[in-house]
């Protein structure tokens, strides 16, 4: 399971980490009880400040996705089936919004007109090749 | 007299030559092969340089520490009172410093990292993990024994006993701290062969630090017993000292050169400690 940072993205690094870990938890790739790496380890591996990763973990904790324990560190929190349903849907909506924001930021940066961007998305969704 | 000085000069020259060779010379091929064998690591075009750079860095610093251990002693006490223990201390300090200097994998244009936590247990067997703390514990117990037995050996110097205990514990702490730094050294995602080499390098560092820390802290135990004037008066202490004096270096050598396959970097994070827990009541 890998976390990847896009340094060119307008999305702040802590949010990129949070979104990716949340998506993994939502999809079940990170099952409840799974240990996440210590903050210092992840920060060192990604070349980020400790506070950046700590913020991502805090956000995940406040969303009830992970729990921090003194002995075991940060682990994926257990969830009820009802929570699982609602949280998966919420995660999906949030991920969609993030993807759209990221896409929009990229098209703006590249100077692509809105109708061209929409055409590219339509082409991708209809199964054709995305417009270059 | 002249002959003695001639021998000392030749020895010093040889030491300087060997140190210079270790600092700036090439890493011999057999050293790389030995490393690969110890960690069952296939050397590839991608990770060969990684291993060579690691061997060169550690050799440079360990040799420098070793030479400094000799040079400092010669400067302070003269060439006739060379203590192997202090030479080993120099080597150990060099080994610990080397771990700070070992370069980590390049992060590349896109930083990425595994969500798998790195643990000491991934790189060291159980015996290795307890080697340094266990020896530190023995150091404390020996201090207690020396203090308790002081009435039977009043000529013993308890201040020296305490100083040796502090040194033993200090060495242990340096070893444990260096191990922690090795564990925290960044490991961004890279090609599998590079990750395998990185894990092998960590494992090697852990083994060497654990073994050296244990032997060095163990040396302090013998010195404690000697300072307390217990040796040669107490049979149990003599047996204990012999066991520590011979046993720990042998155990250290076995630990340092024990074949240890590189940790396989999984693509999945560590499994939950137990089966996923039942849903909690809201």
């Amino acid at each position: 399971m890998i976390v990847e940072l896009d340094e060119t993205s307008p999305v702040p690094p802590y949010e990129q980490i949070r979104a990716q870990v949340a998506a993994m938890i939502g999809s079940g790739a990170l099952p409840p009880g799974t240990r996440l790496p210590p903050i210092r380890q992840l920060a060192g591996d990604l070349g980020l400040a400790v506070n950046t990763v700590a913020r991502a973990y805090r956000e995940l904790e406040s969303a009830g996705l992970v729990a921090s324990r003194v002995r075991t560190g940060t682990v994926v929190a257990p969830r009820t089936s009802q929570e699982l349903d609602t949280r998966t849907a919420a995660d999906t909506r949030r991920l969609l919004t993030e993807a759209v924001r990221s896409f929009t930021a990229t098209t703006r940066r590249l100077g692509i007109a809105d109708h061209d961007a929409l055409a590219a998305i339509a082409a991708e969704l209809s199964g054709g090749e995305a417009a270059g | 007299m002249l002959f003695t000085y001639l021998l000392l000069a030749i020895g010093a020259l040889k030491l300087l030559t060997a140190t210079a060779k270790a600092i700036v010379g090439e890493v011999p091929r057999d050293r790389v092969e030995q490393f690969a064998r110890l960690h069952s690591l296939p050397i590839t075009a991608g990770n060969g340089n990684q291993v060579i750079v690691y061997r060169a860095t550690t050799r440079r610093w360990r040799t420098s520490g070793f030479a400094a251990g000799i040079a400092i002693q010669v400067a302070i006490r003269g060439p006739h009172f060379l203590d192997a223990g202090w030479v080993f201390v120099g080597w150990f300090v060099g080994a610990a410093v080397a771990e700070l200097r070992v370069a980590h994998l390049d992060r590349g244009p896109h930083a990425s990292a595994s969500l798998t936590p790195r643990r000491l247990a991934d790189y060291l067997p159980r015996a290795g993990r307890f080697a340094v703390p266990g020896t530190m514990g023995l150091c404390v117990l020996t201090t207690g024994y020396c203090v308790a037995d002081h009435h039977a050996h009043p000529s013993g110097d308890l201040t020296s006993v305490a100083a040796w205990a502090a040194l033993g514990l200090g060495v242990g702490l340096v070893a444990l701290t260096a191990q922690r730094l090795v564990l925290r050294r960044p490991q961004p995602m890279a090609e599998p062969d590079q990750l395998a080499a990185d894990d092998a390098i960590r494992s090697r560092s852990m083994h060497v630090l654990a073994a050296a820390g244990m032997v060095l802290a163990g040396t302090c135990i013998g010195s404690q017993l000697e300072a307390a004037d217990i040796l040669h008066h107490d049979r149990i202490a003599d047996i204990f000292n012999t066991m520590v004096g011979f046993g720990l270096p042998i155990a250290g050598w076995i630990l340092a050169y024990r074949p240890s396959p590189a940790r396989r970097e999984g693509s999945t994070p560590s499994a939950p400690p137990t089966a996923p827990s039942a849903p909690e009541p809201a």
Side-chain angles (χ1 to χ4, degrees):
Chain A
M1 216 52 58
I2 295 165
V3 173
E4 200 167 333
L5 283 186
D6 181 2
E7 288 168 16
T8 60
S9 168
V11 181
Y14 84 87
E15 180 55 25
Q16 290 186 44
I17 296 170
R18 189 207 63 74
Q20 288 178 54
V21 175
M24 289 175 204
I25 294 172
S27 68
L30 287 175
T34 304
R35 274 186 66 197
L36 294 183
I39 290 171
R40 282 179 188 279
Q41 177 189 318
L42 193 56
D45 291 357
L46 291 171
L48 295 172
V50 172
N51 282 343
T52 306
V53 178
R55 182 167 178 189
Y57 276 29
R58 268 202 311 275
E59 300 259 340
L60 288 165
E61 194 172 0
S62 60
L65 294 174
V66 302
S68 292
R69 298 172 191 162
V70 176
R71 284 195 66 194
T72 53
T74 305
V75 294
V76 176
R79 289 178 295 163
T80 63
S81 54
Q82 191 184 358
E83 279 175 330
L84 192 67
D85 291 340
T86 55
R87 196 156 291 143
T88 304
D91 275 345
T92 308
R93 274 198 302 279
R94 193 164 51 232
L95 284 171
L96 179 63
T97 309
E98 281 159 7
V100 169
R101 277 184 191 154
S102 174
F103 176 79
T104 310
T106 306
T107 56
R108 294 270 191 275
R109 200 173 57 247
L110 295 174
I112 296 170
D114 286 356
H115 62 270
D116 286 340
L118 286 170
I121 286 184
E124 185 67 33
L125 288 174
S126 63
E129 289 295 317
Chain B
M1 195 67 177
L2 186 68
F3 183 70
T4 310
Y5 281 115
L6 191 66
L7 275 182
L8 284 171
I10 291 170
L13 196 66
K14 279 188 89 72
L15 179 71
L16 276 174
T17 314
T19 307
K21 196 178 166 189
I23 290 172
V24 295
E26 288 179 0
V27 176
R29 188 184 176 86
D30 63 318
R31 291 285 179 173
V32 178
E33 285 169 354
Q34 183 199 35
F35 180 91
R37 216 173 26 251
L38 275 176
H39 298 284
S40 311
L41 176 75
I43 298 291
T44 65
N47 67 17
N49 270 346
Q50 214 178 325
V51 175
I52 291 170
V53 168
Y54 167 74
R55 295 295 309 210
T57 306
T58 50
R59 192 176 67 149
R60 185 183 308 134
W61 283 96
R62 289 171 192 172
T63 310
S64 301
F66 182 86
I70 294 175
I72 290 170
Q73 278 197 83
V74 169
I76 295 174
R77 302 159 68 180
H80 300 290
F81 302 98
L82 215 55
D83 185 339
W86 288 104
V87 177
F88 188 39
V89 168
W91 180 92
F92 176 74
V93 171
V97 172
E99 298 308 332
L100 299 174
R101 311 287 303 175
V102 171
H104 60 74
L105 284 168
D106 187 20
R107 288 196 182 89
H110 294 286
S112 56
S114 167
L115 280 178
T116 308
R118 288 192 291 275
R119 301 164 306 162
L120 197 58
D122 294 325
Y123 303 102
L124 260 184
R126 184 186 291 267
R129 295 198 298 279
F130 289 106
V132 175
T135 313
M136 289 168 79
L138 271 181
C139 214
V140 173
L141 286 177
T142 307
T143 310
Y145 182 73
C146 291
V147 171
D149 206 40
H150 184 58
H151 66 277
H153 308 283
S155 56
D157 181 2
L158 285 184
T159 310
S160 294
V161 171
W164 282 111
L167 186 65
L169 294 177
V171 164
L173 282 177
V174 168
L176 294 177
T177 307
Q179 284 184 340
R180 212 174 166 77
L181 289 174
V182 171
L183 202 59
R184 281 190 186 159
R185 188 185 301 147
Q187 189 186 57
M189 289 310 291
E191 295 298 319
D193 59 338
Q194 293 177 338
L195 282 177
D198 188 74
D199 281 329
I201 285 169
R202 282 167 208 269
S203 178
R204 182 96 300 266
S205 298
M206 297 288 193
H207 280 78
V208 169
L209 288 169
M214 176 181 75
V215 174
L216 209 48
T219 309
C220 296
I221 295 174
S223 300
Q224 277 182 292
L225 291 172
E226 205 167 318
D229 198 29
I230 291 176
L231 288 181
H232 314 302
H233 300 295
D234 185 328
R235 200 171 164 192
I236 294 172
D238 280 351
I239 294 170
F240 178 70
N241 185 47
T242 309
M243 282 172 65
V244 167
F246 287 99
L248 284 185
I250 291 169
W253 192 87
I254 291 170
L255 178 62
Y257 291 100
R258 181 179 184 272
S260 171
R263 171 189 182 238
R264 304 294 173 203
E265 178 65 30
S267 57
T268 54
S270 65
T274 54
S277 32
E280 285 182 354

